Amino acid sequence: MGLWEKHVLPRMVDKMCGTKDMLPWRERAFAGLSGTVLEIGFGSGLNLAAYPPEVTRVLAVEPSELGRRLAADRIAKSGIDVDFVGLQGENIPLDDAVADGAASAFTLCTIPGVEQALAEVRRVLKPGAPFHLVEHGLAPQPNVQKWQHRIDPIEKKVAGGCHLTRDPVALLRAAGFTVEREEHDWMKAPKPWGYLTIATARAAS
Ligand SMILES: C[S@@+](CC[C@H](N)C(=O)[O-])C[C@H]1O[C@@H](n2cnc3c(N)ncnc32)[C@H](O)[C@@H]1O
């Protein structure tokens, strides 16, 4: 991890993803979660304010030490028990079938081994438990896709490995999840960054 990723990017993500207009997307995505939730890419804890009161514990996976530090106040104020359980979604040091649900916000775009991370989410979820997510990704419009593919190499370099061209729903299906809710909208952002997916998915085992 370079100086940019270590010292600057987590603060930028905290500011840019922490705006008021992002909260309703997060709340919409995470409605229905309860109990112990595995969260991959916990960042600076911005999702804590969006979890329903039925969520009592978060098993947080986050590689950025600064992100974890920036989360401290939010954790203290949240009333949710947060345990940092691992650094990488691709390798989660938890037993099988321990989570009542899982959550991801704007993280499937970034995790290098996203297929392996989704296999890990499946493993850690109790059978039939839901995975709720809100992600940006590949837009259906060819003219937007063209720009997403053009910008992607720069985006990856400046935004910590973030891809504009991943399709979260396709990734979920390829990982063996059944997608039971799929909603799309546009964020207030330039089009290549703006196509939003809110989804809930489950795997039988
Ligand atoms: C765009 S940020 C989103 C942070 C947070 N989920 C939010 O909504 O504000 C992407 C996050 O993924 C984390 N990340 C990067 N590689 C990861 C990996 N291999 N496993 C889990 N998280 C990872 C980053 O450190 C960062 O916190």
Side-chain angles (χ1 to χ4, degrees):
M1 202 185 275
L3 289 177
W4 173 257
E5 279 85 9
K6 203 169 172 188
H7 298 294
V8 182
L9 200 57
R11 290 185 200 281
M12 279 178 63
V13 170
D14 184 57
K15 291 279 172 274
M16 290 168 71
C17 294
T19 56
K20 270 191 192 147
D21 52 332
M22 301 282 271
L23 187 60
W25 302 122
R26 297 175 189 274
E27 288 173 340
R28 197 167 130 193
F30 299 142
L33 279 167
S34 63
T36 296
V37 171
L38 169 71
E39 183 180 334
I40 53 168
F42 182 79
S44 56
L46 291 169
N47 289 322
L48 291 171
Y51 283 130
E54 291 79 14
V55 172
T56 52
R57 187 176 177 213
V58 169
L59 306 172
V61 176
E62 173 53 50
S64 163
E65 203 239 317
L66 176 55
R68 299 195 301 272
R69 267 196 284 132
L70 291 171
D73 277 356
R74 292 189 183 105
I75 293 171
K77 286 177 189 151
S78 71
I80 298 175
D81 291 331
V82 177
D83 295 326
F84 287 103
V85 295
L87 300 180
Q88 293 187 316
E90 296 93 328
N91 179 19
I92 303 174
L94 287 173
D95 289 340
D96 297 356
V98 294
D100 301 306
S104 169
F106 309 108
T107 295
L108 295 188
C109 54
T110 297
I111 296 179
V114 65
E115 294 87 357
Q116 177 60 28
L118 289 172
E120 281 290 84
V121 171
R122 270 191 73 170
R123 183 185 66 73
V124 172
L125 278 174
K126 293 177 182 172
F131 180 23
H132 291 230
L133 47 102
V134 52
E135 301 285 340
H136 72 89
L138 190 68
Q141 293 80 5
N143 61 327
V144 181
Q145 283 191 5
K146 184 178 75 183
W147 282 102
Q148 289 182 310
H149 284 288
R150 278 186 185 161
I151 299 166
D152 220 23
I154 305 162
E155 173 76 2
K156 278 186 240 170
K157 281 204 178 113
V158 299
C162 172
H163 297 68
L164 299 175
T165 51
R166 286 185 177 167
D167 176 344
V169 167
L171 286 168
L172 287 169
R173 292 203 172 110
F177 284 95
T178 300
V179 178
E180 64 183 35
R181 172 170 71 141
E182 176 183 348
E183 296 164 11
H184 298 282
D185 218 325
W186 290 91
M187 290 189 288
K188 279 187 211 151
K191 292 253 173 198
W193 288 267
Y195 187 68
L196 197 70
T197 297
I198 288 178
T200 305
R202 290 176 206 263
S205 59

